[in-house]
Every structure is written in C-alpha cells, then in structure tokens.
Amino acid sequence: MSRRPVAVAASLLTVLTLGAVSACSGNSSAAGGGSGSTPTVKLMAGGLDKQIYLPYQLAQQLGFYKKYGVNVELSTEQDGGVGAEEAMASGQVDMAGAWYNHTIEFQAKGKAVEDVVQLSGAPGEREMCTKKSGVTSGADLKGKTVGVTDLGSGTDTLTQFLAAKKGVKTSQYHRIGVGAGSTAIAALQNGKVDCVMTTQPTVAAIQKKGVGTSAIDLATTNGATAAMGGAYPAAGVIARTDWVNSHKDATQKVVDALVATMHWINTHSAADIANKLPASFVSNQLVTKADYISALTEDKGQFLPDGLMPAGGPKTSLATEQLVGNVKGSVDLGKTFTNDFAIQANKTEGFKTTTTPAGPNG
C-alpha cells in the first residue's frame, strides 16, 4: 500500500501541477489565519489520477472546498518520490490522501497519526493474472512471480496477506516492484510476472489489451469482505494527531467538503463523475473515457457514502498488518481513527448515514 499506488503516467504530472496548486512550499497557513480568514491546508494524495483517490480532486472540481470555507492545495505523489504518508508525517504537507493502515504502522513506530475521514471500504485493487498462470486465489501464488507497486507498498502487503491466508509463505513465491500503468502492463505482456496487484484505470487497460484478467477482487466492499474476511478501509485522509488537535476548524472544513463529495458520488453515475474530473484523468494513453466510465461503474462500490470508518474495518486492517509481520506489538485502534468530524459533517448537512460506524475498539 504504497499503500500508495503510483501515478498512472509521468506525462500527467504536469497537468496535475497546473490543475492543483503545489502543496509542499512550507507550513500550512491554517494555524496563522485570523478570525474569519480562510485556512489553507496542504494535502498530498497517493496518485490524484487514480480512481481509488478520485474524491480529493473531485471535491476541488465541484467547488466543495471553497463552499465549506477551506483552501486545499492538492499535490500528488511522484513515482520514486516521497510517499504521501511520509510527507505528512515529516510536516511537508498537513494531510495525506492515503490508506488507513498507515496509522496502525505509525503507531507501532511510536508516531500518533489518525484517520479523520474514510472514503473507501475496500482497497480498490485487483490481482490481475495471465490466463496461463492458473491463479484464482492466494493459494495459487505458490511458485509464481507477482508484481506489486513497489516492495513495502500497500499492494505488497495485500499480496502477502492473500498468500499467507492460504498458507503460502513469502519464500514460496517471488515479489517484484513493477509500478503501475504502462510499466505494470508491460510486466504482464513480457512475461516478467504472472500476476500484478493494481487498480483502475490500469485494470481496464490490462483487460482491454487482453494480457490479464481479474483473478482476485479487492476492488469492491463485497469483494474485499469475501477475500479478507471483512471490510478493509483503504483510501482516507490521515494527519498527525497533534496537527489535528491544533487545527480542528480546518480539519472539520476539509471533512465537510469530502463528506459532501462522498454523498455526491453516491447519488451520481460514473459518467457524471468522469465528466467532472480533469480530462487527462479519464482519457489518456492507457484508457479512453468510455473505458474509464466502465471501470468506475464496475468498482464504484468501493466508496463509502458518508465518510465514516466502517465497523470492523480497523480490526481487519490490523489483522492484515499482523499476519504479514508489519506490526508485532499492541495497537490502540481507538487512537488510529476518529468518526467525530464525519459525524458532525453529516449532521450539519442533514445527510442520512448508512455506514455502521466503528467503535473505539475498531
């Protein structure tokens, strides 16, 4: 989990930079703004053009950050660069659009980081395999070479979990980093790997080229529950707990905007969503706009409608981290997330919530 899937293609980075103000130019002005001023929050996402992370940019396109009184400066991870969660932890940015599991890993390292709004209940990933691989479950990974975004990433953790759950040890298969987009596709085409864990729109491109099919579905809440034993909270907004405590108003405004975005996603079609996103996100060298819409229609079920951390999700995430050996000590799950901001956001707008919220024990 790069837990942070890399950007689809380097050529999109210029567009992203023009479309969203650079986010790494110093400390946030949220703390220094006077009464009545609009706070500025710097948020780096693990790939703004990826479907699993689309709510961050969509909120900007819909004008929701402005509507709820916050200036959000978006930036995106670059392949080979610092991860969004690390940029947040080091203070380069205020918030990270990243996977929830990072909060567990940070706590295990003695760092207090929390999830303030949860956008998805599934990783949004699929294990894409060649037909001749014969892979249909984690048990079949034995003896195979499997591509992940990069070693130590979220896709790496998920791959290890799927194998370990079926009793396959890491020594019984080979994992290599293949990135995403064109590099992941090439790895399958050239026979470098039997499978690759990836997300949309790379999944759609692989299917269209006929070089692989979806062997294991982690792209929807139902798929993740079947494969992992429960909802797996992935994309969300994480921030240092000390920053959140000293910027509660700014945090609430960001969550207000994203909760409104999740309700908008829930009540609109994939085509509506695609029409609001930057053209380079939905039509590029990998996919056509029609491909993008088809893929989003298929995997739209990963998105939670109300921004709440789902009951059981933190426990599933912790179990995954423990099984693959990323976390060995005790973890206080109640300190890794909060539903307070999302609950307030839904209450303020009168939105009906449908997600059963996680309690303090996850």
Side-chain angles (χ1 to χ4, degrees):
M1 307 173 214
S2 186
R3 286 132 228 168
R4 26 165 183 133
V6 294
V8 169
S11 62
L12 295 180
L13 294 176
T14 300
V15 177
L16 293 174
T17 302
L18 293 175
V21 182
S22 173
C24 299
S25 57
N27 294 328
S28 167
S29 63
S35 176
S37 65
T38 300
T40 293
V41 174
K42 303 181 192 304
L43 189 157
M44 179 185 285
L48 284 172
D49 55 346
K50 289 205 168 276
Q51 284 193 4
I52 61 172
Y53 289 140
L54 72 82
Y56 310 115
Q57 185 68 46
L58 181 60
Q60 193 83 282
Q61 302 297 115
L62 293 172
F64 284 171
Y65 295 129
K66 181 178 181 180
K67 175 181 177 180
Y68 290 97
V70 61
N71 175 38
V72 174
E73 296 183 350
L74 294 173
S75 63
T76 191
E77 280 184 11
Q78 296 187 24
D79 192 5
V82 63
E85 70 282 355
E86 295 297 341
M88 172 276 301
S90 65
Q92 295 178 52
V93 295
D94 307 309
M95 293 178 158
W99 286 16
Y100 160 72
N101 70 296
H102 289 301
T103 67
I104 295 174
E105 294 174 349
F106 277 124
Q107 187 181 126
K109 296 175 183 177
K111 298 179 181 180
V113 173
E114 62 188 80
D115 182 302
V116 297
V117 60
Q118 189 58 37
L119 309 184
S120 68
E125 308 278 347
R126 290 179 183 273
E127 192 72 75
M128 302 298 294
C129 303
T130 61
K131 292 181 180 179
K132 66 178 182 180
S133 71
V135 174
T136 59
S137 76
D140 301 319
L141 295 180
K142 186 175 181 180
K144 301 297 191 298
T145 297
V146 186
V148 298
T149 306
D150 55 69
L151 296 180
S153 70
T155 55
D156 190 16
T157 299
L158 284 178
T159 299
Q160 292 178 65
F161 175 80
L162 292 174
K165 194 173 182 184
K166 295 296 184 179
V168 180
K169 300 177 181 179
T170 54
S171 61
Q172 295 178 304
Y173 61 102
H174 184 51
R175 309 182 330 275
I176 61 173
V178 297
S182 58
T183 56
I185 295 170
L188 279 174
Q189 282 180 316
N190 300 333
K192 188 176 182 180
V193 296
D194 299 292
C195 302
V196 61
M197 177 79 76
T198 191
T199 186
Q200 299 287 9
T202 306
V203 166
I206 289 172
Q207 292 173 325
K208 188 172 184 178
K209 290 177 179 291
V211 297
T213 58
S214 176
I216 304 174
D217 170 23
L218 300 178
T220 63
T221 302
N222 288 340
T225 299
M228 306 184 73
Y232 185 92
V237 173
I238 63 177
R240 300 183 313 280
T241 298
D242 62 345
W243 189 91
V244 173
N245 289 339
S246 60
H247 297 82
K248 289 189 175 181
D249 180 63
T251 301
Q252 186 64 63
K253 292 176 186 297
V254 172
V255 175
D256 287 345
L258 286 169
V259 165
T261 301
M262 302 318 292
H263 278 272
W264 195 93
I265 290 172
N266 190 50
T267 55
H268 288 75
S269 69
D272 292 333
I273 296 168
N275 287 336
K276 288 293 184 179
L277 292 171
S280 61
F281 283 29
V282 302
S283 181
N284 49 61
Q285 64 267 45
L286 287 183
V287 291
T288 65
K289 188 172 183 179
D291 293 332
Y292 186 95
I293 292 172
S294 176
L296 182 56
T297 299
E298 183 178 10
D299 291 351
K300 189 166 172 273
Q302 69 188 274
F303 295 115
L304 298 170
D306 40 34
L308 294 171
M309 175 63 72
K315 288 184 178 180
T316 301
S317 187
L318 176 58
T320 303
E321 295 293 321
Q322 291 173 329
L323 185 60
V324 302
N326 286 345
V327 174
K328 294 182 173 62
S330 61
V331 172
D332 184 347
L333 288 176
K335 293 181 179 179
T336 63
F337 71 95
T338 176
N339 274 322
D340 292 349
F341 295 106
I343 288 173
Q344 182 59 49
N346 282 286
K347 181 178 179 181
T348 297
E349 290 300 321
F351 292 138
K352 180 181 178 180
T353 60
T354 55
T355 301
T356 301
N361 296 321

